[in-house]
Amino acid sequence: MLGILEFVVLFAVFYLLTLILSFVGVDYAPVHTDILSAFLFALVLSCGTLAMGGYLVMVQESISSLFFRTLVAYCFVGGIGLTILYVMVPAADPGSSNLFWAVMLASLVVVLMRLIFLRIVDSEQLVRRVVILGAGDFAGGLLAESEQNMRALGVRILGCISDSTDPTVEQEKLLCTPYDFYEFCRKNRISEIVVAQQERRKAEGGWLPVPDLMECKLRGVEVTSALDFYERELKKAKLAMVHPSWIVFSEGFKASKSRAFAKRFLDLAISLTLLVVMLPFIVLTALAVFLETGRPILYSQKRVGMLGREFRIYKFRSMRQDAEKDGKAQWASANDSRVTKVGAFIRNTRLDELPQIYNVLKGEMSIVGPRPERPEFVSELKEKIPFYDTRHYVKPGLMGWAQLKYPYGASIEDAKGKLEYDLYYSKNHSLMMDILIMIQTVEVVLLGKGVR
């Protein structure tokens, strides 16, 4: 909703401002006021906001941070996008001075609109009030994550209704078990019941009020499993709740030949474009690596790809030649002493990943997909993490959903956290989702997120 409102505001600001400037005669050059120019202006700046994570973090930001992020999204990311656009479509160019005032005015209006929007959406009259049926570890984990992330989604979890005689949720989070579930929901304006019971509830003396839940469902109160709630609200599959039947019977995890063909076509188009655009940076990076530490310039490793096939991935070398002199694979650590000075820079800017365009052209990787891991790590992770092998049914990628949502992974626990997002991507991946991931990866590259 906010994205649509912002697009309309940007379109109106551009169109009205150019009309006003044309009317008062500020510019002697003709001012373009056609609908196409305003549409392209709004589209590029909206993509700039998406690329800088403006829609995801604004609830947790101060007004000054929100304004600064908007300026970066519009003036830097949007400015680059508009410059490229006007080279390709000169007729849409309104002139530099008109564009400057349009961007400045749009920034002020959009920040003001976002603050009003957040005030309205965050009001108690509009939030979705949710209650959890269950008081075990699953419910506790859901409560903890809701406090960190779900306020931004307009969700309020009122508490937990215990399903056993031995709840693990804190006492202040427990609600009395209602005699009439529907009446309880009506009086407390509950819009959704999330069932978060432990798998072995019968063995633990638990219970499931099926007739009450059926009545709530039939009378308009949504009843959702905790796993589906996680997927919908937090865009990940909670690993502790995943079971084989969810994979087998869910609507996702579909392998489509037509989608595979379209994705391959998109991969080739983007990788060839990247190769042409980034060729000067490829040459400069190779030269910098050679001047600092000599040969080899490229570094290769075996990685596990689609269906478990091994392939060799290529990167610009960012570590010393003897980084793994004992021959054993090692996780990268924060401020890793093996990283060279040039290596630190090309890691922060992701320039070290550019040789993987070759892997994409060969068809071993895609532009978007789970990051491929080394065989040594995969063998260990498959033994310790359930369903880890499911990520290998999607082609690995240069960028991915887990890279956007989870920091750099360098442990078993990190691998579990990333797998939750990889599972979500494997279940729901589409060309539109791939495009959105590509746009949002701009922020990761510009801000050097998730680098070690």
Side-chain angles (χ1 to χ4, degrees):
M1 180 62 70
L2 180 63
I4 293 170
L5 286 174
E6 180 173 321
F7 182 87
V8 171
V9 167
L10 290 170
F11 181 93
V13 165
F14 183 90
Y15 193 81
L16 293 175
L17 183 62
T18 50
L19 279 176
I20 293 169
L21 291 174
S22 178
F23 179 76
V24 300
V26 171
D27 263 327
Y28 294 104
V31 179
H32 300 282
T33 59
D34 57 274
I35 294 176
L36 176 62
S37 297
F39 176 84
L40 293 174
F41 175 82
L43 180 64
V44 170
L45 293 195
S46 294
C47 288
T49 302
L50 181 63
M52 289 304 297
Y55 298 118
L56 302 177
V57 300
M58 63 178 184
V59 176
Q60 301 163 345
E61 288 188 319
S62 62
I63 296 177
S64 58
S65 298
L66 180 62
F67 186 70
F68 176 75
R69 185 181 289 270
T70 303
L71 282 180
V72 172
Y74 286 1
C75 298
F76 183 70
V77 180
I80 293 173
L82 288 170
T83 301
I84 296 172
L85 176 67
Y86 294 150
V87 170
M88 299 170 62
V89 190
D93 191 349
S96 57
S97 61
N98 294 332
L99 184 61
F100 172 79
W101 289 113
V103 170
M104 290 297 103
L105 182 59
S107 300
L108 291 171
V109 174
V110 165
V111 169
L112 179 62
M113 183 199 70
R114 287 182 187 173
L115 294 174
I116 296 172
F117 179 86
L118 289 176
R119 181 65 62 87
I120 294 172
V121 171
D122 203 39
S123 65
E124 289 300 320
Q125 286 72 30
L126 291 182
V127 297
R128 286 175 291 146
R129 295 162 67 84
V130 176
V131 67
I132 299 174
L133 178 57
D137 293 337
F138 288 172
L142 188 53
L143 277 173
E145 294 209 45
S146 72
E147 292 175 358
Q148 298 174 5
N149 303 302
M150 290 187 192
R151 187 172 184 86
L153 302 171
V155 175
R156 298 286 187 278
I157 296 182
L158 273 64
C160 300
I161 298 172
S162 180
D163 63 329
S164 70
T165 56
D166 187 26
T168 58
V169 171
E170 296 176 5
Q171 190 65 36
E172 60 267 22
K173 299 291 185 181
L174 290 176
L175 303 172
C176 294
T177 303
Y179 177 76
D180 186 324
F181 269 73
Y182 176 72
E183 191 63 23
F184 170 80
C185 292
R186 190 183 66 81
K187 286 184 177 180
N188 291 280
R189 295 186 292 113
I190 305 296
S191 60
E192 186 171 10
I193 300 172
V194 177
V195 181
Q197 295 183 310
Q198 304 300 111
E199 277 190 304
R200 299 182 180 178
R201 57 180 179 273
K202 291 184 179 178
E204 296 170 0
W207 60 284
L208 183 65
V210 176
D212 293 295
L213 295 179
M214 285 178 60
E215 182 185 8
C216 290
K217 177 92 172 185
L218 293 171
R219 298 185 71 172
V221 179
E222 193 169 354
V223 179
T224 311
S225 73
L227 183 55
D228 290 338
F229 187 77
Y230 263 104
E231 183 184 351
R232 189 187 72 210
E233 299 297 339
L234 297 176
K235 303 297 182 287
K236 67 178 182 178
K238 190 63 176 177
L239 193 59
M241 300 178 185
V242 172
H243 42 79
S245 61
W246 177 73
I247 297 175
V248 173
F249 296 112
S250 71
E251 290 295 320
F253 298 105
K254 291 181 178 178
S256 166
K257 289 184 179 180
S258 59
R259 186 195 176 278
F261 177 80
K263 185 176 176 68
R264 180 61 181 153
F265 177 80
L266 186 66
D267 286 341
L268 288 173
I270 293 176
S271 56
L272 288 172
T273 304
L274 273 176
L275 187 61
V276 172
V277 173
M278 301 302 293
L279 188 58
F281 297 97
I282 291 173
V283 174
L284 289 173
T285 302
L287 184 61
V289 172
F290 177 75
L291 290 177
E292 184 184 33
T293 54
R295 295 179 180 176
I297 294 172
L298 293 178
Y299 176 67
S300 68
Q301 281 181 341
K302 281 187 177 181
R303 297 291 175 100
V304 178
M306 192 171 181
L307 301 178
R309 300 189 194 99
E310 293 186 8
F311 69 99
R312 192 161 288 278
I313 200 174
Y314 295 93
K315 293 184 177 185
F316 282 118
R317 184 169 55 80
S318 58
M319 292 187 175
R320 305 189 311 263
Q321 289 94 330
D322 61 347
E324 290 182 349
K325 57 185 176 182
D326 56 358
K328 294 182 179 179
Q330 300 178 36
W331 294 101
S333 59
N335 302 315
D336 201 313
S337 60
R338 298 172 297 166
V339 178
T340 64
K341 291 180 180 178
V342 170
F345 175 78
I346 63 176
R347 277 175 169 241
N348 277 309
T349 54
R350 297 302 200 278
L351 290 172
D352 64 320
E353 308 279 0
L354 288 177
Q356 290 167 43
I357 294 174
Y358 171 72
N359 294 110
V360 177
L361 291 172
K362 280 186 68 178
E364 296 166 332
M365 292 178 64
S366 178
I367 294 294
V368 178
R371 286 297 293 167
E373 280 293 355
R374 301 175 69 172
E376 301 90 336
F377 296 148
V378 169
S379 299
E380 179 184 6
L381 295 171
K382 283 169 65 176
E383 291 179 3
K384 297 183 178 179
I385 303 177
F387 305 106
Y388 187 81
D389 212 28
T390 55
R391 71 196 300 275
H392 297 134
Y393 287 86
V394 179
K395 190 178 289 188
L398 280 171
M399 56 191 80
W401 186 238
Q403 281 68 37
L404 282 178
K405 307 299 287 185
Y406 198 90
Y408 187 93
S411 67
I412 302 294
E413 286 304 311
D414 286 337
K416 288 181 180 178
K418 292 182 72 174
L419 179 60
E420 293 181 341
Y421 291 104
D422 285 335
L423 273 171
Y424 176 86
Y425 177 80
S426 299
K427 181 176 184 288
N428 301 285
H429 64 95
S430 65
L431 290 181
M432 180 56 68
M433 186 177 183
D434 286 355
I435 291 170
L436 290 174
I437 289 172
M438 289 183 225
I439 294 173
Q440 292 177 76
T441 300
V442 172
E443 182 191 15
V444 175
V445 175
L446 289 179
L447 302 182
K449 289 184 175 182
V451 175
R452 287 192 182 179

